[in-house]
Amino acid sequence: MILSALLTSVGINLGLCFLFFTLYSILRKQPGNIHVYAPRLVAEGKSQRTNHFNLDRLLPSAGWVTRAWQPSEEDLLSTSGLDAVVFMRIFIFSLRVFTFAGIIGVFILLPINYLGNQLSIDFSDLPNKSLDSFSISNVDNGSNRLWIHFSAAYVFTGVVCYLLYFEYSYISSKRIAWFYHSKPQPHQFTILVSGIPVSSGSRVGESVESFFTKYHPSTYLSHTVVRRTNKLQKVIDDAEKLYRTLGHLKSKRHTQQRFRRDGFLGLSGRRVDLLDQYEKKLEDLEDNLRMEQSSLAGEEVRAAFVSFKSRFGAAIALHIQQGIDPTEWVTERAPEPQDVYWPFFSASFLKRWICKLVFVVAYILLTVSFLIPVVIVQGLTHLDQLEVWFPFLRGVLTITFVSQVITGYLPSLILQLFLSLVPPIMIIFSSMQGYISFSKIQKSACTKMLWFTIWNIFFANVLSGSVLYQVNIILEPKEIPKILAEVVPAQASFFIAYVVTSGWTSLSSEIFRMFPLICSFVKQHFTGNDGEEFQLLNVFAPKYETGGKFWPIVHNSTIFSLVLMHIIAIGIFGLKKLPLASSLTIPLPVLTLLFNEFCRKRFLPIFRDYSAECLINKDREDQRDPTMVEFRDKLVTAYQDPALKPIQYSGSIGRLKSPLLHSAVA
């Protein structure tokens, strides 16, 4: 890629960022968009819609940028939980790393590369020259200037490791402090027990009661047996749709939509009141729901949520093998009640096993299929290949601006659009693997997405130009540093354009919320519905709290990136005829991995479990809390499947009183 093409890509992305920020600053002020840009405040009753006209609504402003940085970590912690604080710390950590890397790269390494003589450069036509003149490829082979790159690798690694240690230590302390200041939560006192043996003539609940009163008499509190409720899901889904329709028809603004004709397509027949029809259907669904609930009373799963009187008692039961047979009385940590993925319990063991097999096959097919857009993207970066594939475009490709857009901006945009389709697929894959909570599903999807990006965005792009490279990596792993050293610098310009597109335009479009804005417009003007569904302070409401457990993923991915950088550096110094620098770089990945192992021993256990010291201190604090009696009473029913909770229908207001349906639309 030539310099002018990269500058075109940067210019387009800057223009789109400015456009999105400007539109956001205007559209967020419009009363009709309050459900798009402040849905959480609407749900909490903290925002009021003002309909009087104000000229300021039509003018862009930048005050929201300042206000976005004003909330402190304590504000985030109180409103959105520790996960939101960790999310912001990830941003801060990334800014620090890229700021330091930018200073080293722009003010030290870039001039060193530019002043090299390895490549012949015509300074009179610099904008149309390749970016290789600014890369390490332009440094003379065996030059002493390569030692500056060598030093930069060590300095950058040291700074990043220091920042990783600082963040790991800071977030660990925040996690412990958050635990001490948090109110009692059901999942802190509860474990999930599966593989429960049941003798002939008895029930699962009886076995659980007998076992835990015998072996945990002083700490056992209660249990909730899990039942299969998959038959209820269709009835509940239909009831939710009717409930939403009823709420829509009952609004005063849409009284005209209540009436339609009962003939063909609503064009003929007598005029009827849809409200009466839907209320009758809702009553029928309520009866069906009650019948299904009563019939499922005996469909027990050999699993139960077992609650204890103290956190320490739950931890002991969690970490000690309960039965002689390790396949029986299997314990695992219970998620938050709202975090439980109930469909997991409705699937049989055979179905879960088949789903896992399907996941492996589907993941491989997705990875292979994604190579198609990768090949297309790499073809766009080379005009000569594009002219061979599409000879009828030769006339258009001779236009300077068009060629710069195609080779500079379009490849990264296409790749980003295809990549945006992958996260929902990864969530589906993770839900097939048998996780019991939404948080574990999303954590697994995050890890899958990370490795998918590493392979398809990095390795597939740098190796797609030559099948021989891919074969060599498989047959000769020792050649990996050399191969990466040859192909990665050649793709540097593409990755710069990709990072700019994904980091600038993608983030600004997320703030602009284009898709929710379009959906809100369609609902308001074509269905008459404002949109009742939404998901840090004004928009997204946390559905669960992991206590910052996503940070180790960030730490591990950063360590992987550092080691990959070291491997590429070893190969580059070898290619540049500086074997001593190549040899002296070998200890760098070893030291990095040793640092990672130290962090795993020092901090990772804090993210897995709380220590006995923390648990006992918190339990002793609870003994002085008068609300613990009420909390334990609620703990008995905290893990009841929402589909099995009683419902009550009131025809006068047209509303199902089921907690599941209410939470779905509240």
Side-chain angles (χ1 to χ4, degrees):
M1 184 186 298
I2 60 177
L3 180 60
S4 57
L6 178 62
L7 294 177
T8 300
S9 175
V10 172
I12 293 176
N13 281 286
L14 281 175
L16 288 175
C17 287
F18 180 78
L19 175 64
F20 288 150
F21 284 145
T22 302
L23 291 176
Y24 167 75
S25 66
I26 297 175
L27 294 175
R28 62 185 291 271
K29 302 176 185 177
Q30 311 309 313
N33 296 332
I34 192 171
H35 287 279
V36 178
Y37 295 109
R40 183 178 179 183
L41 298 182
V42 173
E44 296 175 354
K46 298 179 180 179
S47 179
Q48 297 180 352
R49 180 182 299 187
T50 57
N51 294 318
H52 63 275
F53 177 77
N54 188 343
L55 183 61
D56 182 60
R57 287 184 188 172
L58 305 178
L59 301 176
S61 60
W64 63 270
V65 179
T66 304
R67 291 192 297 272
W69 287 99
Q70 285 179 348
S72 63
E73 286 190 355
E74 296 302 322
D75 295 331
L76 281 177
L77 193 64
S78 61
T79 57
S80 301
L82 183 61
D83 284 338
V85 174
V86 173
F87 185 72
M88 290 304 300
R89 296 301 303 186
I90 293 173
F91 268 102
I92 295 173
F93 168 77
S94 301
L95 285 175
R96 288 172 175 170
V97 171
F98 282 106
T99 299
F100 181 77
I103 294 174
I104 295 294
V106 172
F107 296 103
I108 298 178
L109 299 183
L110 198 70
I112 295 296
N113 298 338
Y114 185 73
L115 295 176
N117 299 315
Q118 187 69 26
L119 304 177
S120 57
I121 303 174
D122 184 5
F123 293 96
S124 61
D125 194 20
L126 187 60
N128 294 321
K129 294 303 178 182
S130 172
L131 283 176
D132 290 341
S133 57
F134 296 92
S135 70
I136 195 173
S137 302
N138 194 41
V139 180
D140 296 334
N141 291 340
S143 173
N144 288 330
R145 292 177 178 176
L146 291 170
W147 288 105
I148 300 179
H149 283 271
F150 171 84
S151 303
Y154 266 89
V155 172
F156 178 74
T157 301
V159 171
V160 173
C161 288
Y162 168 77
L163 292 175
L164 283 173
Y165 178 85
F166 175 80
E167 293 296 336
Y168 226 147
S169 176
Y170 181 83
I171 296 174
S172 299
S173 62
K174 275 286 184 180
R175 175 174 165 83
I176 296 175
W178 170 80
F179 173 74
Y180 276 126
H181 290 87
S182 63
K183 295 181 179 180
Q185 301 295 327
H187 68 280
Q188 298 174 351
F189 297 81
T190 307
I191 64 173
L192 174 62
V193 182
S194 58
I196 300 173
V198 181
S199 58
S200 178
S202 63
R203 303 177 67 86
V204 174
E206 296 172 353
S207 297
V208 174
E209 184 80 19
S210 174
F211 182 88
F212 283 94
T213 53
K214 180 178 180 180
Y215 297 106
H216 299 268
S218 61
T219 58
Y220 169 71
L221 178 64
S222 63
H223 70 274
T224 302
V225 178
V226 178
R227 290 177 169 83
R228 286 191 174 92
T229 58
N230 53 322
K231 295 181 181 179
L232 291 174
Q233 296 306 316
K234 186 179 185 303
V235 181
I236 292 174
D237 292 341
D238 293 340
E240 287 180 353
K241 293 177 182 177
L242 277 177
Y243 175 84
R244 295 181 188 279
T245 305
L246 275 173
H248 168 61
L249 292 176
K250 282 180 175 293
S251 62
K252 296 180 181 180
R253 293 174 296 165
H254 308 106
T255 53
Q256 298 299 324
Q257 299 181 16
R258 285 177 49 179
F259 302 94
R260 61 172 295 180
R261 300 188 182 276
D262 60 356
F264 178 72
L265 297 178
L267 301 177
S268 61
R270 61 188 180 89
R271 188 177 177 85
V272 296
D273 188 349
L274 294 179
L275 188 62
D276 296 335
Q277 286 189 347
Y278 288 147
E279 284 188 341
K280 181 62 172 62
K281 290 182 180 179
L282 200 57
E283 290 176 350
D284 295 338
L285 283 175
E286 179 201 12
D287 294 336
N288 293 338
L289 195 58
R290 287 200 181 100
M291 292 177 59
E292 290 290 344
Q293 287 179 337
S294 60
S295 65
L296 288 176
E299 291 193 30
E300 295 180 334
V301 179
R302 293 196 175 189
F305 289 98
V306 182
S307 299
F308 296 83
K309 298 176 183 178
S310 65
R311 299 175 182 84
F312 186 66
I316 292 177
L318 174 65
H319 294 290
I320 296 179
Q321 182 177 317
Q322 298 299 312
I324 298 176
D325 187 346
T327 63
E328 295 179 349
W329 301 105
V330 180
T331 60
E332 59 181 304
R333 186 175 291 100
E336 295 178 335
Q338 68 273 16
D339 190 25
V340 177
Y341 183 64
W342 293 104
F344 163 80
F345 300 103
S346 299
S348 62
F349 173 80
L350 178 61
K351 183 179 179 180
R352 289 188 208 131
W353 188 85
I354 294 175
C355 285
K356 289 181 179 180
L357 182 62
V358 171
F359 152 70
V360 174
V361 176
Y363 189 84
I364 295 174
L365 290 177
L366 178 64
T367 303
V368 174
S369 301
F370 203 82
L371 293 177
I372 297 175
V374 169
V375 173
I376 295 175
V377 163
Q378 287 302 314
L380 291 176
T381 58
H382 299 87
L383 284 180
D384 52 348
Q385 294 184 12
L386 201 60
E387 291 177 354
V388 173
W389 292 351
F390 307 102
F392 57 89
L393 294 178
R394 290 178 179 174
V396 178
L397 295 177
T398 57
I399 303 175
T400 303
F401 179 75
V402 173
S403 63
Q404 291 174 354
V405 171
I406 292 177
T407 60
Y409 176 68
L410 200 56
S412 58
L413 176 63
I414 293 176
L415 200 59
Q416 186 65 30
L417 290 176
F418 274 100
L419 193 64
S420 64
L421 303 176
V422 179
I425 299 176
M426 291 303 178
I427 292 179
I428 295 175
F429 286 171
S430 297
S431 64
M432 297 167 56
Q433 288 186 270
Y435 293 106
I436 66 169
S437 66
F438 292 100
S439 58
K440 287 186 177 180
I441 289 174
Q442 294 201 358
K443 187 177 180 181
S444 174
C446 180
T447 304
K448 291 183 180 65
M449 192 65 199
L450 174 64
W451 290 111
F452 184 88
T453 303
I454 290 173
W455 171 251
N456 285 282
I457 303 301
F458 181 76
F459 285 105
N461 270 283
V462 299
L463 301 176
S464 61
S466 175
V467 179
L468 181 61
Y469 283 147
Q470 302 177 35
V471 175
N472 284 342
I473 282 185
I474 298 175
L475 299 181
E476 300 183 30
K478 294 186 296 183
E479 297 295 320
I480 291 179
K482 178 182 177 182
I483 294 173
L484 292 178
E486 292 178 355
V487 297
V488 170
Q491 295 291 337
S493 55
F494 165 77
F495 286 115
I496 293 174
Y498 175 77
V499 168
V500 169
T501 301
S502 60
W504 296 359
T505 307
S506 178
L507 182 61
S508 60
S509 63
E510 178 69 17
I511 296 176
F512 178 47
R513 289 177 61 80
M514 181 183 300
F515 184 73
L517 182 66
I518 295 174
C519 292
S520 176
F521 177 83
V522 171
K523 288 180 180 179
Q524 290 184 42
H525 294 83
F526 294 95
T527 67
N529 191 353
D530 288 336
E532 298 167 339
E533 289 191 30
F534 29 78
Q535 292 276 9
L536 288 162
L537 289 176
N538 298 340
V539 178
F540 296 101
K543 295 183 178 180
Y544 54 82
E545 176 64 56
T546 68
K549 287 187 176 181
F550 278 81
W551 170 255
I553 298 178
V554 178
H555 177 92
N556 294 335
S557 61
T558 306
I559 292 294
F560 174 83
S561 301
L562 286 176
V563 173
L564 182 61
M565 181 193 74
H566 302 154
I567 294 174
I568 296 174
I570 292 172
I572 287 179
F573 291 137
L575 290 177
K576 301 300 288 185
K577 310 301 182 183
L578 200 66
L580 180 59
S582 182
S583 301
L584 293 177
T585 307
I586 293 177
L588 196 52
V590 177
L591 294 174
T592 303
L593 293 175
L594 289 176
F595 164 78
N596 181 54
E597 187 62 22
F598 168 77
C599 290
R600 286 174 56 85
K601 298 292 185 181
R602 173 62 180 86
F603 300 115
L604 189 57
I606 299 176
F607 287 81
R608 289 175 176 168
D609 300 287
Y610 291 106
S611 64
E613 178 184 356
C614 293
L615 296 175
I616 294 175
N617 287 337
K618 190 66 175 173
D619 287 337
R620 289 174 177 172
E621 180 183 328
D622 289 342
Q623 294 176 359
R624 301 185 296 270
D625 188 353
T627 63
M628 283 302 297
V629 176
E630 181 183 0
F631 170 78
R632 286 172 179 167
D633 292 339
K634 294 181 179 179
L635 189 60
V636 176
T637 59
Y639 283 92
Q640 184 179 358
D641 192 331
L644 294 175
K645 292 184 178 180
I647 62 171
Q648 178 182 357
Y649 174 73
S650 175
S652 61
I653 61 173
R655 178 170 184 156
L656 274 173
K657 296 297 185 180
S658 166
L660 176 66
L661 301 182
H662 178 65
S663 64
V665 297

